[in-house]
Structures are given as structure tokens and as C-alpha cells.
Amino acid sequence: MKQLTSRESEVDPSGEALLPGTLPEALRAEFVAFRRDLHMHPELGNQEFRTTAAIKERLERAGLKPRVLPVGTGLVCDIGTDSGQWAGGPRMLALRADIDALPIPDTKSECPYRSIVPDRAHACGHDVHTTVVLGAGLVLAALHEQGLLPRPVRLIFQPAEEVLPGGAADAIEGGALDGVRRILAVHCDPRVDAGRVGLRVGPITSACDRLEISLNGPGGHTARPHLTTDLVTAAARVVVDVPAIVARRVDSRSGLAMTWGRIDCGHAPNVIPQHAELAGTVRCLDLDAWRQAPDLVVGAIDEVANLHRAKSEITYVRGVPPVVNEVTSTELLQAAMAARRGTDAIESTEQSLGGEDFSWYLEHVPGAMARLGVRPPGERTVRDLHQGDFDVDEHAITVGVEMFTAAALIDAVQ
């Protein structure tokens, strides 16, 4: 890494020059303040106008040329190109953040930066992801001005990650991956201490689809069920039997799981209804099985519904495939974290059944996602994702920024 050092670079006790790009205290404080501002003003998917404007203003203040995505929110920004836009030069490393929030209330009672928007909260850490990528971009821009960034880097601030099938598809359609050779991301993990990251080669998240079912048939009196289509029983059998049928028609190692979140059927104890509704999710750990899932699930629902003489209307909404971390990209994150914090700050992580639309980028270019530790060291209580009291140890911002800057520098000389 000698070509990446400068007279301002730090030196470790052995006398070896370290990678540039560590954060001075002033920037650490600015990034914490930026994250807290986002946390106080959460915006839902495809409505992130204030968030987009805040990111754009800070990048422009650094002399960069961000471009708002065609959908109107989210943006991309190139570092290390004269035009602010890739023009056929060296293919870039991309750093991706998601910028939207969740439609739930912020329940942190004594927090000066809790959400001021009713029923909106950054309860999944997207404010941290955004600040990490913004911070890495500002540091890399400064390195570029010093002649220490050998290859361009693209920042992608993507809207609507929480909206199926995810805003990644819109970002890709808007040119976010044009000229990109590899892409990296982080996701907050409240089970991992701040200062550490979790890494894994291969699948790290699950596929996630949404399922909505309407069952219809002639109702009637509960005294004469033989003259009706007993939709309560039909709905109950769909809930119980369909997951069991699907489980026997797909490789059990694929981890395909159906879970119901809503059943609406009937209003009176002595009336068999004419209509029933069910909704749930289909999650899958294996990419090939996920591609088979719609046909398997729809076929099983029709079989059970027909058995009970119910007419079924099925809406199967494709969500996202699994995030499958590519080997070289995962090794790049590992090398970057080792360079910044040492190998002891890296831990192996398991595959999650949560969905992440970062997977759509990986359908086009290799990449990897790291789990960024956000739990205060020593704290036993886990403030889980998608909960109103979710918060982070903000030291994680520095860790993420420095890991990404190291990854960009290491990738540039590989």
C-alpha cells in the first residue's frame, strides 16, 4: 500500500505506514450530528425528499456533483472523475446506502434526537447506513484531492428499500450500476458490538415475497354447513396444509418458510361467511428454490382451496432474492476491517431470514454486505431492528466509514 500513503499518514508502532482515510475528531462529530438529524426526520420510501436534499447539499459543499435518481429521491455521486459521471474510464467500486425509514412510532422516551415525525422512525438503521456512505465519500473525496485515490468510487443512496420489491430496481434502471465493477454495503446488527463487523461468504439474508389470498364461496347458517362452502374451515386448512405441502415439494435444505400475518374471516358465530382473506410472507434461503416458489405456493393453495370447494384469488408479490456475498468482495471487506481494527474485530455471522433489496445489485455485479455492529459493548439488552426503541452506539459510524475507505483503497490496487 506504499503508493497510497502520504506524509500525513499515520504510523503504527512497528513503523509501517497505515492506510490513509482515518477520521479526525471534527468529522466524527459532524457525522454523528448528520445521523441524528436524519433520525429526527425519517421519511418513508419514495418520499425521502428532505433526506435526499441533505445528502446532496453536503456532497456539493465538498465540491462533488451528485445526481438525483430519475424517481425523484435518492442519488448517486462519483468520486475521482472529472465530470462527476462515469464516462468509460476504469470500472468503479460502489458503496450503497438505503435512505428510507419505517412506518412505526419512535418510542424512545428520553432521547434528544428521537423522531419528530408521528408514526415514522429510523428503526432499521438506514440513517446510519446513509451517514457511513456519505462519510466515506467525503473522506475519499479529500484523498482524491491529495492524489491518493487511484480509482473512481461511486456512492449510491437508494430510496425505498423497505418497499417491496425494493428501490434498488429503480436505482439500477436509473443507471446506478453503469460503470460499476463491484458493490459493497453494510447493515446495522444490534447483536454485534460496535467496533466489530460480521462477515459471511454466500447467502447472508433471505429471499422475501408477499402473499395475499382471497377465498370465496356461498355462505350460510352454521346449522347447515353442507349447503355452503365452509370458508372458515377452508381458510384454516390453507393456513395449516399449504406450508406442509410446499415443504414436501422443495429441497428441505432451501429453508423455504411460509408465515401468516393476517386472517380475516367472518363476523358472527352462527354465520358461515362468503369471503375470507389471508396474507403472509414466503421466505427462502436458497436462490434456486426462491425462483420455484411462486409456482409451488400457488399450486398448493389451489389444491387445498379446491378440496374445500372454495374459489381462490391469489396475489403473489415478488420481493427480493437472497443476498449472496461473493467471495472476493467478502475478502475485500475482511481485509479492510483487518487493516483498520485488526482481525479480532471480525466475526462470522449467520444467514438471516430477513430480506434486503441489496440482492438486486448482486444480480448484475459481484458484491458483499457486512453486518455493522451497533450494540454498545457490555450492554445485554438487544434493541432489535424494526422496533420503535431501536438505537445504535454511534461509534459504529466511524467504524463503517473507515472500513469503506480502506476497502476503496485496497480494491484500487488489486
Side-chain angles (χ1 to χ4, degrees):
M1 301 304 164
K2 294 185 183 297
Q3 67 268 44
L4 300 178
T5 63
S6 72
R7 285 175 295 179
E8 291 77 30
S9 296
E10 298 180 30
V11 176
D12 71 12
S14 69
E16 182 179 353
L18 300 177
L19 285 175
T22 54
L23 283 185
E25 186 57 38
L27 275 183
R28 295 184 193 195
E30 179 189 350
F31 296 157
V32 167
F34 189 90
R35 178 258 166 173
R36 292 185 177 189
D37 179 72
L38 295 185
H39 199 84
M40 291 177 66
H41 301 89
E43 297 174 300
L44 299 184
N46 295 317
Q47 301 173 25
E48 314 95 333
F49 297 104
R50 183 187 185 279
T51 303
T52 298
I55 300 166
K56 184 173 183 287
E57 187 279 331
R58 186 60 184 93
L59 292 170
E60 289 177 337
R61 190 150 39 97
L64 298 171
K65 299 177 181 179
R67 314 185 295 284
V68 176
L69 291 169
V71 292
T73 62
L75 59 160
V76 297
C77 183
D78 296 343
I79 301 166
T81 62
D82 294 334
S83 65
Q85 181 172 346
W86 183 72
R91 292 175 67 79
M92 290 176 281
L93 174 73
L95 307 176
R96 173 267 197 177
D98 37 11
I99 66 174
D100 58 325
L102 287 162
I104 63 175
D106 188 333
T107 60
K108 297 188 292 293
S109 58
E110 297 182 5
C111 177
Y113 52 85
R114 70 191 296 264
S115 171
I116 64 172
V117 183
D119 299 320
R120 303 287 186 267
H122 269 296
C124 202
H126 293 187
D127 53 338
V128 175
H129 307 165
T130 299
T131 305
V132 165
V133 172
L134 173 67
L138 296 177
V139 173
L140 291 170
L143 292 179
H144 174 60
E145 290 180 357
Q146 301 171 43
L148 300 177
L149 184 64
R151 177 179 288 158
V153 174
R154 173 166 295 162
L155 314 178
I156 300 175
F157 298 93
Q158 175 216 302
E161 190 276 333
E162 299 287 356
V163 181
L164 287 179
D170 289 331
I172 294 167
E173 185 176 347
L177 289 182
D178 294 350
V180 170
R181 59 185 288 270
R182 189 182 310 282
I183 188 167
L184 304 176
V186 294
H187 198 295
C188 290
D189 191 336
R191 302 165 300 171
V192 177
D193 286 350
R196 302 175 62 81
V197 298
L199 295 175
R200 174 188 177 90
V201 174
I204 191 171
T205 69
S206 167
C208 180
D209 299 337
R210 188 174 73 243
L211 183 64
E212 297 175 356
I213 307 168
S214 293
L215 299 177
N216 298 283
H221 201 292
T222 56
R224 293 175 288 278
H226 60 289
L227 300 180
T228 73
T229 293
D230 187 352
L231 287 184
V232 175
T233 298
R237 296 319 309 179
V238 167
V239 168
V240 174
D241 293 347
V242 169
I245 291 171
V246 171
R248 288 297 175 266
R249 294 180 180 175
V250 69
D251 191 326
S252 58
R253 293 171 295 181
S254 68
L256 194 153
M258 296 182 61
T259 306
W260 304 102
R262 183 174 70 89
I263 302 176
D264 187 359
C265 188
H267 300 283
N270 61 342
V271 177
I272 295 174
Q274 300 179 33
H275 182 72
E277 294 182 355
L278 302 88
T281 59
V282 179
R283 299 179 185 271
C284 187
L285 303 178
D286 178 76
L287 186 58
D288 290 336
W290 175 72
R291 289 174 174 146
Q292 302 172 38
D295 290 341
L296 292 173
V297 170
V298 170
I301 293 169
D302 283 339
E303 286 182 31
V304 175
N306 289 337
L307 182 64
H308 292 274
R309 297 181 298 171
K311 295 181 179 180
S312 60
E313 297 177 7
I314 305 166
T315 302
Y316 193 107
V317 181
R318 263 308 201 194
V320 295
V323 172
V324 182
N325 282 351
E326 184 256 346
V327 174
T328 302
S329 301
T330 308
E331 290 174 346
L332 175 60
L333 286 169
Q334 184 174 12
M337 191 63 181
R340 295 301 193 199
R341 305 281 157 174
T343 56
D344 289 344
I346 303 167
E347 60 183 68
S348 178
T349 190
E350 62 187 11
Q351 185 177 8
S352 164
L353 276 173
E356 233 295 348
D357 77 350
F358 181 68
S359 54
W360 290 123
Y361 298 103
L362 304 185
E363 296 281 294
H364 301 271
V365 296
M369 171 175 281
R371 293 212 166 102
L372 180 67
V374 297
R375 181 178 62 192
E379 184 174 299
R380 294 183 179 180
T381 301
V382 175
R383 296 184 177 183
D384 203 5
L385 302 171
H386 289 219
Q387 300 295 318
D389 65 346
F390 178 76
D391 204 357
V392 304
D393 184 325
E394 291 168 323
H395 175 58
I397 296 171
T398 296
V399 175
V401 169
E402 294 188 349
M403 181 180 69
F404 271 168
T405 57
L409 296 173
I410 293 170
D411 180 67
V413 296
Q414 284 184 343

